[in-house]
Amino acid sequence: MAIEIQKASNAAEALGIAHSRMSWAVQANLASVYPDEFRDADTSMQAADKAYSEKAYDASIALANDVVRIISDDLMAEVNALREAEAQLAADKAIADEVMPKAQDRIEWADLNNIKADYPEVYNSAHSAMEAAQKAYQIEKYAAATQLANEVLSTLSSEFEAKVTADRAEKARLAAEAKAKEEAEKEAQALIAQNKKYAEVAISDARSRYDWAASKNAANNYPDLFKEGGNLLADAQTAFNALDYVRAKDLAAQAYWTLMEIGEFAPLPATYKVRLIPERRDCLWRIAEYQFVYNNPYKWPVLYEANKKTFKDPSNPNLIFPDQVLTIPSIKGEVRQGAWDPKKTYQPLPK
């Protein structure tokens, strides 16, 4: 009796810690950032509570510890850091929203006063900084956008405006500036051609990787990565068609490295839901024989030992029911995660 009371006490303590982690996860909106981890932790939490209510204290402790393992200190620190980064991003955006219009006003002044013709280097410097600021703003690099916008303000300052007024009387200077403009335009065209070539190569590489992933059933094996890579590739092509070759190259590179995370096979499943198969009834022997389980029917005792506490009759390994979820322990160090999905392609476990 004393042992049982101690187990109950230990289980209650473990549940308290796990519930604390889940409360933090809800407050931190973990489901929006790490949906898989939140789902797994929530599933384990519910199972731990259920096990405790059924006085299965050892199972309750194990499941509660699983919640703590999933919502680890490292994960909490990472999420908190992410939230802090979001707050910093919002602060940077507020500053950029104040500075960017001022810089745009100076660009419009330069356009109205034909500064590009007389002072192409100054204009190109400011205009390039403005374009870079706008691009940085579009990709939420607000601090960089602010710095570049300040460069515009510094370049097209009131002192510079006064200088323009005085220098307009000097024809020789106009001729020299016209020549500089021509050279700058040539450099810009050369840069565009170079960037176009880089973008073409990057898009081609990403497309090849996408096609390979599609041929390996990535749409089902790694749906999130495959979708993300495809979207990035589509965005890269859109940017290329809009002649934004630098952005096209960057997006294509992101698509390529995202798709590189896709393997030839999906990770082996960690759970299996018993199916109702009239012509070949599921049993532990046959389930263990599945290639994505153990590829060996003689390994059925491993499934039994790992799951018998969940059986209606723990002493009867033959009594399993359709929709019963079985845990599949790793026996060869293989990585297992998620539930078995008939749409996914799994590499058979070596016998």
Side-chain angles (χ1 to χ4, degrees):
M1 186 63 178
I3 294 176
E4 193 68 8
I5 292 174
Q6 184 60 47
K7 285 186 176 181
S9 176
N10 293 342
E13 181 179 357
L15 283 173
I17 296 173
H19 275 293
S20 176
R21 293 294 174 104
M22 286 304 300
S23 295
W24 173 88
V26 172
Q27 293 176 357
N29 196 20
L30 185 66
S32 67
V33 184
Y34 294 95
D36 293 341
E37 285 80 356
F38 182 87
R39 181 197 62 232
D40 293 344
D42 187 57
T43 300
S44 294
M45 189 72 260
Q46 294 183 39
D49 287 335
K50 185 175 184 296
Y52 185 88
S53 69
E54 296 172 352
K55 298 184 178 181
Y57 300 125
D58 290 341
S60 180
I61 291 173
L63 289 163
N65 288 338
D66 194 49
V67 174
V68 175
R69 177 189 61 78
I70 296 170
I71 306 177
S72 63
D73 291 342
D74 289 344
L75 179 62
M76 293 172 70
E78 184 175 340
V79 172
N80 288 334
L82 179 61
R83 295 304 183 218
E84 291 175 1
E86 290 173 346
Q88 183 61 53
L89 191 67
D92 290 343
K93 183 177 183 297
I95 296 173
D97 287 341
E98 180 180 356
V99 176
M100 290 283 288
K102 296 177 181 178
Q104 185 60 46
D105 287 344
R106 297 309 296 163
I107 291 294
E108 291 175 2
W109 168 85
D111 290 336
L112 289 172
N113 287 275
N114 199 26
I115 299 302
K116 185 175 183 179
D118 296 341
Y119 300 89
E121 292 181 351
V122 174
Y123 179 88
N124 290 337
S125 175
H127 196 266
S128 295
M130 190 70 247
E131 285 185 335
Q134 291 169 339
K135 290 177 182 178
Y137 187 94
Q138 289 170 1
I139 61 175
E140 300 184 349
K141 300 295 184 181
Y142 300 121
T146 298
Q147 181 180 353
L148 289 163
N150 282 328
E151 289 183 20
V152 175
L153 296 175
S154 176
T155 301
L156 301 178
S157 63
S158 57
E159 291 81 2
F160 174 74
E161 184 173 352
K163 177 178 175 59
V164 169
T165 301
D167 287 351
R168 284 286 167 85
E170 303 177 15
K171 293 183 180 180
R173 182 178 180 83
L174 291 175
E177 294 295 344
K179 182 179 180 180
K181 174 187 175 182
E182 181 181 356
E183 293 175 352
E185 289 177 347
K186 289 180 180 179
E187 290 177 1
Q189 290 301 318
L191 181 60
I192 290 173
Q194 183 183 56
N195 288 335
K196 180 180 180 181
K197 179 179 179 181
Y198 290 158
E200 288 173 340
V201 172
I203 290 174
S204 176
D205 290 344
R207 173 62 63 185
S208 296
R209 187 63 188 181
Y210 181 87
D211 292 341
W212 176 89
S215 72
K216 299 301 180 181
N217 193 28
N220 292 312
N221 292 345
Y222 297 89
D224 293 339
L225 286 173
F226 188 66
K227 180 179 178 181
E228 181 182 357
N231 288 341
L232 286 168
L233 180 58
D235 290 344
Q237 188 62 59
T238 298
F240 186 90
N241 293 341
L243 308 183
D244 190 348
Y245 302 127
V246 173
R247 178 171 168 77
K249 176 181 69 67
D250 291 343
L251 287 169
Q254 292 179 46
Y256 177 82
W257 289 112
T258 298
L259 295 167
M260 282 295 291
E261 296 182 43
I262 295 175
E264 186 173 0
F265 300 98
L268 291 171
T271 62
Y272 172 78
K273 182 182 287 187
V274 178
R275 295 176 289 169
L276 180 62
I277 309 176
E279 65 276 11
R280 191 178 186 275
R281 178 179 173 273
D282 262 349
C283 64
L284 295 184
W285 170 277
R286 288 172 177 157
I287 293 172
E289 187 179 15
Y290 289 144
Q291 292 182 337
F292 57 81
V293 180
Y294 296 135
N295 203 16
N296 185 347
Y298 292 99
K299 294 294 184 181
W300 71 265
V302 177
L303 294 175
Y304 176 55
E305 289 300 323
N307 294 276
K308 66 181 180 181
K309 290 183 179 179
T310 67
F311 284 19
K312 292 184 178 180
D313 181 0
S315 65
N316 186 355
N318 296 314
L319 190 60
I320 61 175
F321 299 91
D323 294 332
Q324 182 176 347
V325 177
L326 301 177
T327 296
I328 309 173
S330 173
I331 61 172
K332 295 185 177 181
E334 72 275 13
V335 175
R336 292 184 175 274
Q337 62 184 42
W340 173 74
D341 185 343
K343 297 179 181 179
K344 292 185 176 181
T345 306
Y346 301 104
Q347 184 175 24
L349 187 69
K351 293 186 177 180

